Structure formats: structure tokens, C-alpha cells
Amino acid sequence: MISRSELVQRDNNDELSSYRQHFQLPNDIIYLDGNSLGALPKVAAERVQQVTEQQWGKSLIGSWNEHDWVNLPQVVGDKIAPIIGADKGQVICCDSISVNLFKLLASAITLQQHSGKTDILSSQDNFPTDLYIAQGLSQLMGEQHVTFTDVAEQQLLDSIDDNTAVVMITEVNFRTGKLLDTQALAEKAHQHGALIIVDLAHSAGVIPSQLDNWQVDFAVGCTYKYLNGGPGAPAFVYVNKRWHGQLQQPISGWFGHRAPFDFSADYSPAADIKQFLAGTPAIISMAAVDSALTLYEDLDLQQVRTKSQQLTELFQQRVIERKLNHVLKLQSPEHSDQRGSQLSYANEFAYGLCQALIARGVIADFRAPNNIRFGFAPLYNRFVDVYDAVEQIEQMIERQEHLSEQWQQRSQVT
Ligand SMILES: *Cc1c(COP(=O)(O)O)cnc(C)c1O
């Protein structure tokens, strides 16, 4: 059985261990929820202060030019690009995943108009907002123009056929952490003349996706999870350059116009990725994202992936060693190369387990109906954190703290 001191040693030898000091983390907690809200990079806190006090406070509206606020969505997009395996000029930071998915789905469906294909294919256990957006678009455009089909995740590949207009997937399942084979799905989609949209919410920053190499058409992703951009930080859109200039983006706001400051009465979209902008960018939170991304500048993503796999492997190994696997029933794939950077366990008292653990300073989260999730952020989680977290779980279960009356009532956010 592995000892705590071995793990202290392992942290000392870990080449990524120096990243932890760049985050502001309370001393008395173990944070295993970076898959929901990444920790605060110290540089982001400084940057927000600088943008508000020095830029907004002093230069006011002049900052749009003086501090290049106007180009921040592309500047940030180009920093995200290498993290998702994309060349520059194909990624832009804006809005939320939900809104961006709407833009992309509508653009993709419009591209397919003359092919006679109308079906958006996704999986039933995709993140709800992704499904809701597809349902909403289908309602808006009418079922004869957009039909929406969701199948079991393992049926996705086989369900792609000549009626498929768009395959819409999330690379890492938010509930189970299962990692899909995006490359295989993109290939099959293209064989049938379909387009593919990939949601990288639980990938960006921990999975070395290769969007360009895999010839993915479109993607969206999140900056407040593993990229540590802060609560509600704007999302990103990837549009493969082969589609630039050919798309109709339905949220045709002025920032996506070819020349917003001409103030012409007619919409004419930018020919590049800027077409996916809609309105005025949220500069303060985008600046936080921009600074958080400096942590990724010299990072080898393969190294991040390796550590991520080691962390999930160690956690599961400890769960088994401490004989907790009867309480925590693994919902994630057994092998770390088939899952993202999280572990998910089922238990009928999962909400209580989660709350009792939080009370002990181990932050995980609960996902209905009965899952407790542990996210592992290789930039600030240590091997020793895994050890300590499992110790806490063991004590908590021994004392049955999760069955306490006080966890019967669920908070609004779980
Ligand atoms: C976190 C997450 C979202 C969040 O969408 P927002 O519109 O940015 O709130 C969407 N999809 C997936 C798969 C997610 O994990």
C-alpha cells in the first residue's frame, strides 16, 4: 500500500509542482472541483485590478484603443488555439457555451440546407444545455428543417448516417468523465457528409485535443473550468478555416460585422472568425481569462495529461485499497486513457456524501441523480491531496456523516 511520504516525494519530483504557487488556494481545503470552477490564478486577480483601476478608472473609453480592448476576443482566442490543437485565427473568445452552440448549430444547419440533411445527432447524456439548445433550434426552425435525435453515448458512432446533418458531441462526459474518440466520430461524420461540433468544456486545458489534425469543423469550450478564467468567464468558439467566409451566423450583432464602426444600416459579416462575435465583449472577465492563460504558455499538454491520468489512477487505487469501492461505485471508465480528468461515483446518498466531505474541507460536487464527482486539476492538485482526500472520505463514511439530517435539503447550486 502506498504511503503518504512516498506521495510527498512524488510531488517533489513532479515537474508541474511549481504551478501550484501561482494559484490562490485556501490552506485548509483540498479543492477537487476545478472541473466546475477553476481556482484563482494570482495573476488574474492582479490583472482584474489593473484593468479596473488603471484602464477603466483612468483611460475610460479610450481604453478600447489604448489598451487594445477591442481586439481582446481574438487575442484570447489565439492563446486558446494551441491548447486545443488549432492554428491561430480560428478561435475567438465570447459569450457562453450555450449561446455559442446556438450560433454554430444554426450555421451548420444552414450550410447543410441544400444537402437535404436535417438531423442533429447527439447523445442523451450530453450536458443538458447542449441538448436544450438543439431542441430550441429545432423548435424555432421547424421540425421539417431541423430534427433532433439523441441516442445512447455508445450508439453515437453507429447512428451517424446519410440523414445526419450535424453530429454534436461533448468530448468528455460531464457526469461520467468518459472520453469520446473525437477523431473517429469526425471521420465517420465526414464520410456521410455530416459536420461535427465538439464541446470541449471538460477538455480544454487537460486533454490535448487535435482539432485541426482531426479536421473537426466547429467547437466550443469553457474558460472557467480547467483554464481558470473565473466564474462566468466568456467561452470560446472554434471554426475551422475551411468554413470561414461561407457561414451565416444568426446572432448577427455589430461586433461580428465586417466594419462595426462604419455604423452602416446593413449587416455584412466579417470574413474571418470575428463573424462569431455578437455584442460588446465582457472586458473585465476576458482580461482575467487572458492572464490565466499565461500559465499555459510554456506548458507541455501531454505532460498535463499524464499527471491528470496519474491523479485519477491514484485516487481510484486508494478508494479500492481503503475498501471504499462498495460505497463509491465507479461510474467513470476503469482505464484512465478512456476518461478525462475526473472521477464519478454513484451512491444513493451522493448529495450527503458530497456535503459531509465539503464540511471536512474536501471540495467535490454532486450531479443529479446520484453522482459525486471529483475533478483533478494537474496545475494545482498534488498527489498528497489525493491521499488526504481519501483519508477524509474514509473517516466520514466510518462515522456515517453523510446520512446526517442536515443534508436532506439540497442547495440551489449543487
Ligand atoms: C460546463 C458546461 C457547459 C456550460 O455552458 P455555459 O453556457 O457556458 O454555462 C456547457 N456544456 C458542457 C458540456 C459543460 O460541461
Side-chain angles (χ1 to χ4, degrees):
M1 220 184 284
I2 203 153
S3 73
R4 192 176 192 279
S5 58
E6 279 174 76
L7 294 175
V8 171
Q9 198 52 47
R10 199 163 167 188
D11 284 318
N12 289 339
N13 297 335
D14 169 24
E15 287 179 32
L16 295 177
S17 64
S18 64
Y19 281 87
R20 184 177 164 88
Q21 69 196 21
H22 297 301
F23 291 88
Q24 193 171 309
L25 282 163
N27 283 326
D28 51 352
I29 65 156
I30 298 171
Y31 194 64
L32 299 181
D33 211 7
N35 53 330
S36 263
L37 176 65
L40 170 64
K42 292 174 182 167
V43 68
E46 288 160 18
R47 178 72 177 274
V48 166
Q49 191 172 16
Q50 183 208 4
V51 169
T52 49
E53 290 176 12
Q54 302 301 317
Q55 300 183 1
W56 181 19
K58 296 207 166 109
S59 311
L60 287 155
I61 198 159
S63 300
W64 286 102
N65 292 315
E66 204 176 308
H67 299 295
D68 207 27
W69 285 357
V70 69
N71 290 313
L72 198 55
Q74 294 115 277
V75 168
V76 171
D78 282 340
K79 287 185 184 173
I80 293 169
I83 297 171
I84 58 175
D87 276 344
K88 291 187 174 182
Q90 300 175 106
V91 184
I92 199 146
C93 184
C94 56
D95 303 317
S96 60
I97 287 187
S98 306
V99 171
N100 289 332
L101 260 179
F102 181 84
K103 298 175 195 166
L104 288 177
L105 272 175
S107 304
I109 285 291
T110 310
L111 257 187
Q112 290 281 26
Q113 236 163 19
H114 300 292
S115 69
K117 300 171 192 289
T118 55
D119 196 16
I120 298 174
L121 177 69
S122 194
S123 72
Q124 280 145 8
D125 51 357
N126 198 345
F127 192 90
T129 205
D130 301 46
L131 302 176
Y132 301 161
I133 293 293
Q135 290 160 13
L137 184 72
S138 168
Q139 246 172 32
L140 179 72
M141 294 183 75
E143 287 239 0
Q144 69 277 26
H145 302 293
V146 180
T147 44
F148 174 58
T149 312
D150 50 0
V151 298
E153 200 171 56
Q154 63 272 24
Q155 298 300 319
L156 262 177
L157 192 68
D158 289 338
S159 302
I160 301 172
D161 61 25
D162 290 342
N163 295 320
T164 312
V166 186
V167 179
M168 179 183 77
I169 63 161
T170 294
E171 190 170 55
V172 176
N173 185 295
F174 81 104
R175 212 180 258 117
T176 63
K178 183 177 165 53
L179 174 65
L180 293 181
D181 187 343
T182 299
Q183 183 173 23
L185 287 157
E187 244 174 57
K188 178 94 188 268
H190 291 155
Q191 278 163 13
H192 288 272
L195 298 160
I196 185 162
I197 303 179
V198 184
D199 185 335
L200 300 172
H202 286 271
S203 305
V206 283
I207 301 284
S209 308
Q210 295 293 321
L211 297 191
D212 282 356
N213 286 343
W214 300 339
Q215 299 190 29
V216 165
D217 300 289
F218 309 105
V220 291
C222 195
T223 63
Y224 56 78
K225 291 173 179 165
Y226 294 107
L227 296 179
N228 313 304
F236 63 84
V237 181
Y238 161 89
V239 177
N240 191 298
K241 56 182 170 297
R242 70 176 169 279
W243 299 120
H244 292 194
Q246 300 182 55
L247 300 169
Q248 258 177 277
Q249 196 274 91
I251 308 183
S252 41
W254 70 310
F255 262 73
H257 192 279
R258 175 175 55 75
F261 289 89
D262 282 359
F263 291 102
S264 76
D266 296 311
Y267 184 72
S268 168
D272 59 11
I273 189 69
K274 275 190 292 214
Q275 180 186 5
F276 280 81
L277 293 178
T280 311
I283 293 301
I284 298 173
S285 47
M286 209 175 288
V289 178
D290 184 49
S291 62
L293 288 169
T294 56
L295 294 174
Y296 274 84
E297 255 160 30
D298 301 309
L299 206 52
D300 173 359
L301 272 175
Q302 204 52 58
Q303 202 174 17
V304 175
R305 173 66 174 150
T306 301
K307 182 175 174 188
S308 150
Q309 287 182 251
Q310 289 168 345
L311 287 166
T312 61
E313 283 163 14
L314 176 66
F315 191 97
Q316 174 59 5
Q317 179 195 335
R318 291 289 301 158
V319 164
I320 293 169
E321 280 176 3
R322 305 312 298 169
K323 301 194 170 46
L324 300 170
N325 48 323
H326 303 294
V327 182
L328 297 177
K329 297 176 197 88
L330 186 66
Q331 298 299 295
S332 305
E334 291 272 352
H335 295 285
S336 65
D337 58 357
Q338 283 162 34
R339 61 190 182 223
S341 205
Q342 73 174 62
L343 289 169
S344 213
Y345 297 93
N347 183 290
E348 66 173 307
F349 302 106
Y351 186 73
L353 283 170
C354 188
Q355 293 306 311
L357 256 188
I358 292 171
R360 283 177 167 268
V362 178
I363 317 297
D365 66 17
F366 165 79
R367 285 295 173 264
N370 61 352
N371 278 267
I372 179 166
R373 300 191 306 179
F374 298 91
F376 301 87
L379 297 196
Y380 50 83
N381 286 139
R382 299 168 296 196
F383 292 103
V384 76
D385 292 333
V386 170
Y387 186 95
D388 292 342
V390 177
E391 294 285 289
Q392 292 294 330
I393 296 171
E394 191 177 7
Q395 290 174 24
M396 180 261 293
I397 289 171
E398 248 169 41
R399 294 176 199 171
Q400 307 244 307
E401 290 164 7
H402 58 294
L403 302 179
S404 159
E405 193 60 32
Q406 59 183 313
W407 315 130
Q408 297 306 309
Q409 196 70 29
R410 282 185 198 170
S411 306
Q412 200 175 349
V413 175
T414 62

